[in-house]
Amino acid sequence: MIVFGIDPGTAITGYGVIRAEKSSVVWIDSGVIITRPSSFLADRLEQIYDTLTDKMRQHAPGRVCIEEAFYGKNVHTTLVLGHSRGVAMLAAKKAGAVVAEYSPRQIKKAVTGNGNAAKEQVAYMIKMLLSPPDVHAQTDAYDALAVAMCDFQCGIGRGAVNRRG
């Protein structure tokens, strides 16, 4: 099964694609979508949607996994992040994929064994587990691969029943 992970953001959205079968997982693709801060929000969201749609058309995922919003002190940031998550979910549904969501803590715990792991620890483990040939300057691509790996580690990407999709 192809599992497509997304680390949403309006400035940088990470994506990661893995093939998960039984007890093995293989890196397929990963990268980031970088939008211009000076662009209108609607234009940034369109860029994210269009790029994710193209990538999903290319890889035909059965599942798309998205990191849940982190509820910090800045309500505006959380609200804007919700827009990015929304266009990612729309792209996934239009691609015919099942959508799953995981909290940052679930993702970190599944990949590193520590729900409070630093971004660097997550990136290190993804490099060790998947050996992606691309070296990403932004950790968002590794975070997106971690979202997909979380789905695999939880057994969902291997065919287990998902109650949240």
Side-chain angles (χ1 to χ4, degrees), residues 1 3 6 14 16 26 29 32 50 57 62 64 73 78 81 93 95 100 120 125-126 130-131 133 135-136 156 159:
M1 171 178 294
V3 181
I6 301 173
V26 178
D29 189 12
V32 293
D50 288 347
R57 191 175 297 122
V64 174
K73 294 178 182 178
T78 304
L81 175 61
K93 291 306 289 181
E120 296 78 21
M125 285 305 297
I126 290 300
L130 295 174
S131 302
V135 176
H136 299 293
I156 308 301

Side-chain angles (χ1 to χ4, degrees), residues 22 77 147:
K22 297 182 183 175
T77 301
V147 178

Side-chain angles (χ1 to χ4, degrees), residues 93-162:
K93 291 306 289 181
K94 291 285 189 180
V98 172
V99 178
E101 299 174 72
Y102 295 99
S103 72
R105 186 172 181 78
Q106 282 177 295
I107 296 163
K108 291 174 184 178
K109 181 143 179 70
V111 173
T112 69
N114 176 4
N116 295 316
K119 280 182 149 311
E120 296 78 21
Q121 290 173 298
V122 172
Y124 175 81
M125 285 305 297
I126 290 300
K127 290 175 193 175
M128 294 298 103
L129 293 168
L130 295 174
S131 302
D134 297 332
V135 176
H136 299 293
Q138 288 88 4
T139 58
D140 304 85
Y142 296 120
D143 290 346
L145 286 166
V147 178
M149 279 297 296
C150 177
D151 196 63
F152 173 76
Q153 295 288 6
C154 293
I156 308 301
R158 292 179 277 178
V161 177
N162 178 13

Side-chain angles (χ1 to χ4, degrees), residues 20-95:
E21 294 175 4
K22 297 182 183 175
S23 63
S24 69
V25 63
V26 178
W27 175 90
I28 301 293
D29 189 12
S30 56
V32 293
I33 304 162
I34 300 174
T35 64
R36 290 191 351 217
S38 60
S39 296
F40 290 112
L41 178 60
D43 294 330
R44 296 168 89 176
L45 294 173
E46 179 182 37
Q47 179 185 349
I48 294 165
Y49 176 82
D50 288 347
T51 305
L52 288 175
T53 297
D54 289 345
K55 286 292 181 180
M56 287 181 203
R57 191 175 297 122
Q58 177 184 352
H59 297 294
R63 296 182 59 78
V64 174
C65 308
I66 303 172
E67 184 175 25
E68 290 179 344
F70 174 76
Y71 302 102
K73 294 178 182 178
N74 189 332
V75 175
H76 181 262
T77 301
T78 304
L79 180 63
V80 172
L81 175 61
H83 295 316
S84 179
R85 286 174 33 80
V87 298
M89 286 181 187
L90 179 60
K93 291 306 289 181
K94 291 285 189 180

Side-chain angles (χ1 to χ4, degrees), residues 3-21:
V3 181
F4 195 109
I6 301 173
D7 179 33
T10 52
I12 301 173
T13 292
Y15 65 88
V17 186
I18 61 172
R19 175 177 285 113
E21 294 175 4

